[in-house]
Amino acid sequence: MTKIAFIGLGNMGGGMAANQAKAGHAVAAFDLSAEALERAGAAGCTPVGSVAEAVKDAEVVITMLPAGPHVLKVYSEQIIGAAPTSALLLDCSTIDVETARKVAGLARDAGYAFADAPVSGGTAAAEAGTLAFMVGCDERDFGRVEAALEPMSRITIRAGDHGAGQAAKICNNMLLGISMMGTCEAIALAEKLGLDPERFFEIASKSSGQCWSVSSYYPWPGPVPAAPSNRDYQGGFATAMMLKDLKLAQDAAAKSGASTPLGAQAEAMYALFDRLGYGGRDFSAMLQLLRGRLSELET
């Protein structure tokens, strides 16, 4: 049994912490939300009243926080120096590469092993313990990182040194945002041309247009039962979160001098969808904007 401190129990973190408890570990869980703490307690974690209380005896510290400034503040002010230096520090948030490297430097200077380990898979995978982790860490620490993430993971890949996990996540989600836009456009066009979108799925999922957005997350109800399109686009991966990741990608592209015109267009479209008030819907609900059927999301 490992003593784990889990900080951040939102849509993703709650399921992740629950899987650590399910694996038999002692999980001290903290979040600013009383409801999140109550859910964590029901899932087998031990709710605590502060970050300091959670990390004081931890062997592993896992954080799942909203953005870079939160990660930097929590690590620099509440974890580093409060957790034992023998503890492994794992940040699973999706943040910018520069902040990930800054936190890694602070941790290293204080004598800690640290990894940035953002995830892919959404809330369903967080609850099922089947997330994909993209890890940036010292090579000597990877075995320890992989073992700590195992109860939450389908696959864990070392992308490279500190910051590489965040780079992989940003690039992967830019690709996902673009491919979902293409999938939604193709379905909207198929419908206009009189082609049944369910029949189009049968064709595209077995043809050169096949991609994850088609085969595993089809935005038209029916063909993929687990997809949010069957739940009025509730749950899944919120548009606001996709927009956050696309903004990170565009910021990284600007700083590195990379050309990402399709990423920029995807960001603009998801920003529009978010401004229209649909930031809480799954990002595949973009289909309804392209179909001109936003009223169907109002019901």
Side-chain angles (χ1 to χ4, degrees):
M1 180 178 71
T2 302
K3 293 180 180 179
I4 294 176
F6 205 109
I7 316 301
L9 305 168
N11 291 336
M12 296 291 292
M16 294 165 67
N19 279 309
Q20 290 286 359
K22 194 180 300 181
H25 300 307
V27 182
F30 176 75
D31 193 278
L32 294 175
S33 165
E35 284 186 19
L37 285 171
E38 186 176 345
R39 287 194 298 270
C45 303
T46 301
V48 297
S50 68
V51 172
E53 186 179 354
V55 306
K56 64 180 180 179
D57 296 317
E59 296 170 82
V60 177
V61 176
I62 302 173
T63 52
M64 192 64 165
L65 300 168
H70 305 93
V71 172
L72 181 58
K73 182 178 178 65
V74 168
Y75 273 91
S76 63
E77 298 180 10
Q78 299 178 69
I79 294 177
I80 294 173
T85 53
S86 58
L88 173 65
L89 309 183
L90 303 175
D91 180 43
C92 298
S93 319
T94 297
I95 62 173
D96 59 286
V97 174
E98 291 83 359
T99 298
R101 289 175 177 161
K102 183 172 184 178
V103 173
L106 293 172
R108 181 186 59 245
D109 291 347
Y112 294 90
F114 174 86
D116 51 289
V119 306
S120 178
T123 55
E127 292 170 4
T130 57
L131 291 164
F133 287 85
M134 302 158 233
V135 178
C137 67
D138 288 338
E139 189 170 7
R140 67 177 180 272
D141 295 327
F142 181 65
R144 199 175 162 203
V145 171
E146 189 174 25
L149 296 176
E150 193 276 333
M152 309 178 292
S153 172
R154 171 179 58 82
I155 185 170
T156 300
I157 301 171
R158 181 176 178 267
D161 293 332
H162 295 114
Q166 297 297 347
K169 175 64 186 287
I170 290 168
C171 294
N172 180 76
N173 276 25
M174 183 179 73
L175 177 58
L176 174 59
I178 293 168
S179 71
M180 181 57 76
M181 282 291 305
T183 298
C184 291
E185 287 187 5
I187 293 170
L189 176 60
E191 183 183 25
K192 288 287 188 183
L193 295 175
L195 175 60
D196 179 7
E198 293 195 35
R199 182 55 55 86
F200 177 64
F201 169 81
E202 293 178 31
I203 296 165
S205 64
K206 297 175 178 62
S207 302
S208 56
Q210 191 278 332
C211 62
W212 188 87
S213 295
V214 171
S215 61
S216 298
Y217 218 81
Y218 199 59
W220 186 275
V224 180
S229 53
N230 297 291
R231 306 187 300 273
D232 196 29
Y233 304 97
Q234 301 287 355
F237 187 41
T239 291
M241 298 305 294
M242 172 55 78
L243 178 58
K244 170 199 164 186
D245 291 356
L246 289 169
K247 286 180 179 294
L248 286 171
Q250 288 307 295
D251 182 60
K255 289 177 178 176
S256 65
S259 178
T260 57
L262 293 181
Q265 186 60 51
E267 181 201 357
M269 290 297 295
Y270 283 107
L272 170 62
F273 198 44
D274 182 61
R275 285 196 301 272
L276 290 172
Y278 300 100
R281 297 292 181 118
D282 183 78
F283 76 117
S284 64
M286 175 63 71
L287 173 63
Q288 301 297 59
L289 175 64
L290 296 172
R291 294 176 68 219
R293 306 291 282 273
L294 283 176
S295 61
E296 295 186 8
L297 294 176
E298 307 291 350
T299 58

